[in-house]
Amino acid sequence: MIDLHIHSIYSDDGELTPTQLVSRCAEEGISIAAITDHNCIRGCREGEMAGGKHSVKVIPGIEIDCVWEKINFHLLGYGINWMGEDFVRIEENIASQSVEASKEMLARTRKLGFAVTEDDMRSVSEHSYRKDRWTGEMFGEVILRKEEYRTHPLLEVYRPGGRRGDNPYVNFYWDFYSQGRPCHVAIRFPGMEDMIDVIHRNDGMAVLAHPGANLRGKEEKLTDILALGIDGVEVFSSYHTQEQTEYFYNSTKKAGLGMTCGSDFHGKTKPAVKIGQICDKNRWDRDDIEREVCRFLQPCIGLQLKNI
């Protein structure tokens, strides 16, 4: 089994260490994995070392926030030379902006009527790699845990059994903190084309992550993105509906590009997303998917297909 999109504690919203992630992969029968932390490559070395101990091939990776046509996207880099200075600069750029952005997010959360304090936020970020950076998921966790908001009508949809209750924290982020939402605070992300160049310059392959999550209602824009020089698309994702998967599969094939699969596992932030969760089993044959993915990523994987 393969999962090419998982997050460790080096992502602001990740829960497990790289070693714990690889151990979980081994338990679930995953033989090839990629730790793709947000704008950070600090888990690559630990992940590779843990992979050797658990017989899991761990591909060095990263997930970079970027922008194209004023829309925020995530770009995956696989097989990168993670020791390159480019990735240090990417991390420092995002980190320097995120501290002030977190404080502004707190102010906007209060304007919604939720009495959230800095101490509240520190209580959920104390085990994070960067304790002074708060995500929309963290705000969701704090607010949904507060007893005084247990029956708040705005929060009913995120409770167990609610229509947004499967992944309450990340759904809270999408509804209130993502681009265009009331608590969103803009960060100056680098351009997608520049990040494609960075990944290529560092010997990697550039793949557009979960386009269904970022192009909601604008899926037709994928055609223009495919012409920017990316190598592939994360067609099979826990985010995508069957219809979206069909569309991205056909578009990617038509463009002659590769495709990948990934769960986007984070841990408690997305409890409904499990490691290895990549597709609708009733529609797609997992073995066929993984053979196609392996052929595309052969330069990164470094294994013969017969050994996978």
Side-chain angles (χ1 to χ4, degrees):
M1 290 174 60
I2 301 173
D3 193 337
L4 299 176
H5 192 161
I6 57 178
H7 291 269
S8 80
I9 57 170
Y10 292 108
S11 293
D12 293 335
D13 48 2
E15 181 182 14
L16 304 178
T17 68
T19 297
Q20 290 170 327
L21 274 179
V22 174
S23 177
R24 181 78 66 85
C25 285
E27 291 171 2
E28 297 297 329
I30 293 169
S31 58
I32 301 174
I35 297 176
T36 52
D37 285 314
H38 294 296
N39 310 299
C40 184
I41 44 75
R42 295 177 184 270
C44 288
R45 182 189 296 275
E46 182 182 339
E48 289 180 353
M49 293 177 64
K53 295 178 181 178
H54 291 279
S55 299
V56 177
K57 176 66 177 180
V58 179
I59 302 171
I62 189 171
E63 185 175 23
I64 304 173
D65 284 278
C66 58
V67 65
W68 175 81
E69 295 289 316
K70 298 183 180 180
I71 304 173
N72 293 344
F73 289 94
H74 292 174
L75 189 68
L76 295 159
Y78 292 119
I80 55 173
N81 173 14
W82 54 268
M83 292 180 282
E85 288 297 314
D86 286 323
F87 300 115
V88 174
R89 287 191 287 270
I90 288 170
E91 180 182 351
E92 291 176 347
N93 173 43
I94 302 300
S96 64
Q97 298 182 66
S98 295
V99 175
E100 290 304 313
S102 295
K103 294 177 182 178
E104 178 59 25
M105 289 164 66
L106 177 60
R108 296 188 183 193
T109 301
R110 289 170 173 166
K111 287 183 179 179
L112 283 181
F114 295 112
V116 177
T117 68
E118 290 191 11
D119 285 343
D120 287 331
M121 299 313 301
R122 293 191 186 99
S123 72
V124 295
S125 66
E126 61 180 342
H127 299 298
S128 299
Y129 164 53
R130 292 187 180 274
K131 298 175 176 55
D132 53 356
R133 289 166 53 176
W134 307 322
T135 67
E137 293 91 341
M138 290 178 182
F139 281 100
E141 183 176 355
V142 166
I143 292 169
L144 288 167
R145 284 183 176 181
K146 281 183 173 287
E147 181 61 26
E148 59 264 40
Y149 300 133
R150 187 172 59 84
T151 59
H152 195 293
L154 193 64
L155 305 178
E156 288 180 1
V157 294
Y158 306 102
R159 302 298 183 188
R163 63 179 177 82
R164 303 285 280 164
D166 57 341
N167 289 309
Y169 302 154
V170 74
N171 285 336
F172 194 82
Y173 155 75
W174 283 115
D175 294 343
F176 292 98
Y177 297 86
S178 63
Q179 194 174 17
R181 302 299 182 172
C183 296
H184 175 72
V185 178
I187 288 180
R188 297 182 303 279
F189 293 130
M192 183 187 294
E193 291 159 292
D194 290 338
M195 293 303 96
I196 292 171
D197 289 342
V198 165
I199 291 170
H200 288 165
R201 186 163 67 239
N202 288 276
D203 306 321
M205 303 179 79
V207 172
L208 182 67
H210 47 58
N214 302 85
L215 283 174
R216 287 176 291 185
K218 302 176 181 178
E219 283 82 1
E220 72 282 354
K221 289 183 176 290
L222 179 68
T223 301
D224 293 330
I225 296 172
L226 297 183
L228 297 178
I230 64 172
D231 301 296
V233 176
E234 187 181 52
V235 169
F236 300 97
S237 167
S238 57
Y239 281 114
H240 294 165
T241 65
Q242 182 173 309
E243 291 74 21
Q244 286 177 318
T245 303
E246 292 273 6
Y247 178 78
F248 298 137
Y249 180 91
N250 292 330
S251 298
T252 303
K253 274 284 193 182
K254 183 177 180 180
L257 300 179
M259 55 188 69
T260 65
C261 56
S263 65
D264 201 9
F265 174 83
H266 284 70
K268 68 176 180 179
T269 300
K270 302 177 182 179
V273 176
K274 310 301 181 185
I275 283 182
Q277 180 180 322
I278 65 168
C279 65
D280 182 346
K281 296 179 181 178
N282 295 323
R283 168 62 182 86
W284 300 93
D285 184 276
R286 184 166 188 136
D287 289 341
D288 288 344
I289 292 171
E290 294 188 348
R291 276 193 291 270
E292 186 150 9
V293 170
C294 286
R295 280 192 290 268
F296 167 52
L297 288 180
Q298 191 64 30
C300 303
I301 296 171
L303 297 172
Q304 295 300 315
L305 290 178
K306 65 181 181 181
N307 295 329
I308 296 171

